[in-house]
Amino acid sequence: MGPLLTRLARGGQKLRQADRARPWVLDTAVVVLVFLMFCLPDLLHGGDGDGPRRFLLAVTRLPLAAMLLVQAGLVLPLLWRRRRPMAAFGVIAAVFVVQWSLGAALRADVALFISLYSLALHGRLRQLPWACGVMATGMVLVALRVSSAVSVGDALFFLFSTAIAALALGLVVRTRRAQLAGLRERAARLETERDQRIRLAAATERARVAREMHDIVGHNLSVIITLADAGAYATDTAPERGKEALQLIGDTGRTALGELRRVLGVLREASDAPTSAPELSPQPGVADIQALCDGVRAAGLEVVYRTVGDVDTLDRGMQLTVYRIVQEALTNTLKHAGAGTWVKLSVVLQDDRLVVRVRDNGSVERSAPWNEEGHGLVGMRERAALYGGDVSAGPEAGSGWLVEATLDLTPEAGTR
């Protein structure tokens, strides 16, 4: 049964595709089939059927030309039963009423029930009450015409049962098609939403990796450039200081290379196992800020670092955010502040919030005006926004520059 049902389903799908490509073929086939099954017998027998004699005596025999004309009026409108179902039903019903007004009975009257089925399937639902009223009128007319051969009650029961069956079948098929169309639309919508989620996840991952790369490369290159300049200056006056600068450059380069390998390694893991959720582990945290300050001190800045509260208990995500904000702020100070600049760095845990302040006494004249924000400040604000916080940066009153970040420690913010 399985292969047979599969072949039938494929055959039905091919027929539906062919019908969508050439709908006139099916409409013509229906007309031809109705003609062969219901019109041709009346033409061959001249209207003399094999029914009960009382019924044959109750109806009128039409001439051949009149019969052909009535059959054409009943059958030909079926050609547009799907495109204009109400018009097809109206024409067939009018011919049907005229025919039975003359007292003639034809097998082609089945076209009226086919048109009612098509109206229920393809037409507007608000047209059905009018069609049912016309149908009921025609059925009553037929029952009265054959009342001498069949009781009116039996005739109405048979006729109304047939009409209701055609109407119910059309509505059932219409409902089924609507359900299938709804399922197909829902499947297409879910597929579109899935693709959108994938693209958003990819964009989010790219933005996260871009921030990581910016923080790693920007900070370490700034330190390396500063150390290289200092080493070149000290080569002639203090060769030992130049050697020390070269050693620090090597250490900083190795640190940057290790962090880049870690980030790129995570990207390879994500491409090899897309269903997993790899973490940037081990990622720097608050405990690594001291080493960060040591590297900046080696580059020529004086850094005073202090913490207030048990900052080591913060979750790993927030610790990484604090580290990257401090790293970006120190990098900007290293790039823009002059020689002999001191930096005061504090990480303060206050009840339900964490405040990070990085203040220096360097020149407030940065390479870009305050209102032209660079990628570093945007990245810091994006990181802080993950924890319901914000970052402000600008010149201090008098001299210097202040970067202040406030992070929300409430559980709702921490789980965003």
Side-chain angles (χ1 to χ4, degrees):
M1 290 297 293
L4 178 61
L5 292 177
T6 302
R7 286 195 294 269
L8 289 176
R10 291 177 180 175
Q13 184 177 4
K14 291 180 179 179
L15 287 177
R16 286 191 295 271
Q17 293 175 352
D19 182 47
R20 284 193 293 268
R22 298 179 179 85
W24 59 270
V25 175
L26 179 59
D27 295 334
T28 305
V30 170
V31 172
V32 173
L33 185 63
V34 171
F35 175 79
L36 293 176
M37 292 183 61
F38 300 101
C39 297
L40 194 59
D42 284 339
L43 294 175
L44 294 178
H45 295 92
D48 295 331
D50 54 357
R53 182 173 179 78
R54 288 188 305 163
F55 180 79
L56 297 177
L57 293 176
V59 298
T60 302
R61 179 179 175 181
L62 293 175
L64 182 60
M67 186 183 301
L68 280 172
L69 184 61
V70 173
Q71 287 180 345
L74 291 172
V75 176
L76 290 181
L78 294 178
L79 288 171
W80 63 83
R81 65 185 180 85
R82 293 191 292 179
R83 289 171 294 168
R84 303 234 193 277
M86 189 61 188
F89 176 81
V91 172
I92 294 174
V95 175
F96 179 85
V97 171
V98 171
Q99 168 206 325
W100 278 97
S101 298
L102 299 175
L106 296 175
R107 291 180 176 88
D109 290 338
V110 71
L112 182 64
F113 300 101
I114 296 176
S115 64
L116 180 63
Y117 161 81
S118 299
L119 180 61
L121 177 58
H122 303 289
R124 300 176 181 176
L125 294 179
R126 64 187 182 191
Q127 296 173 339
L128 285 181
W130 298 97
C132 291
V134 173
M135 195 76 177
T137 303
M139 298 300 100
V140 171
L141 176 61
V142 173
L144 293 177
R145 277 292 183 178
V146 300
S147 59
S148 59
V150 183
S151 67
V152 175
D154 291 344
L156 288 177
F157 176 78
F158 172 77
L159 294 172
F160 276 114
S161 298
T162 307
I164 291 173
L167 181 64
L169 181 61
L171 291 176
V172 168
V173 175
R174 183 190 188 112
T175 303
R176 179 60 177 169
R177 289 185 179 180
Q179 290 176 345
L180 292 177
L183 290 176
R184 285 192 293 267
E185 182 181 358
R186 184 172 181 270
R189 187 171 61 252
L190 290 176
E191 185 176 356
T192 301
E193 292 177 356
R194 182 200 62 189
D195 295 339
Q196 290 177 346
R197 286 196 298 269
I198 292 175
R199 287 194 293 268
L200 288 175
T204 302
E205 182 67 11
R206 285 195 297 268
R208 181 185 64 81
V209 173
R211 288 196 300 267
E212 294 292 325
M213 298 288 286
H214 174 273
D215 294 338
I216 295 171
V217 175
H219 171 75
N220 289 286
L221 282 181
S222 297
V223 173
I224 289 173
I225 291 172
T226 303
L227 290 172
D229 292 340
Y233 177 79
T235 299
D236 297 331
T237 59
E240 67 280 359
R241 298 287 295 175
K243 181 179 179 181
E244 182 182 355
L246 291 176
Q247 291 175 345
L248 291 173
I249 288 174
D251 295 338
T252 304
R254 281 187 289 271
T255 301
L257 183 60
E259 293 187 10
L260 288 176
R261 284 176 176 172
R262 181 170 62 246
V263 173
L264 297 178
V266 170
L267 292 180
R268 285 193 295 269
E269 291 176 8
S271 62
D272 296 339
T275 57
S276 63
E279 298 180 354
L280 291 175
S281 177
Q283 284 281 37
V286 176
D288 299 293
I289 294 179
Q290 186 61 53
L292 183 66
C293 294
D294 293 339
V296 174
R297 291 190 188 99
L301 293 182
E302 180 182 351
V303 182
V304 178
Y305 170 50
R306 69 185 183 92
T307 61
V308 178
D310 193 3
V311 294
D312 293 331
T313 60
L314 299 173
D315 63 82
R316 293 169 56 187
M318 182 167 287
Q319 290 199 35
L320 175 62
T321 298
V322 173
Y323 180 88
R324 293 306 186 195
I325 290 175
V326 171
Q327 184 183 50
E328 181 63 31
L330 293 178
T331 301
N332 290 336
T333 301
L334 192 62
K335 289 192 297 185
H336 300 296
T341 302
W342 53 258
V343 179
K344 292 184 178 180
L345 167 63
S346 63
V347 179
V348 181
L349 189 61
Q350 298 176 346
D351 297 332
D352 60 348
R353 65 175 187 162
L354 181 70
V355 180
V356 180
R357 290 190 183 91
V358 182
R359 182 177 180 273
D360 64 65
N361 67 336
S363 173
V364 298
E365 296 180 0
R366 304 305 198 199
S367 59
W370 157 239
N371 57 356
E372 296 182 8
E373 299 178 358
H375 295 289
L377 181 58
V378 173
M380 286 192 289
R381 283 183 170 167
E382 288 179 353
R383 291 183 182 276
L386 294 175
Y387 292 91
D390 194 11
V391 176
S392 62
E396 277 277 87
S399 64
W401 194 269
L402 174 65
V403 175
E404 183 174 279
T406 303
L407 307 180
D408 195 351
L409 299 180
T410 57
E412 291 78 9
T415 57
R416 290 179 185 176

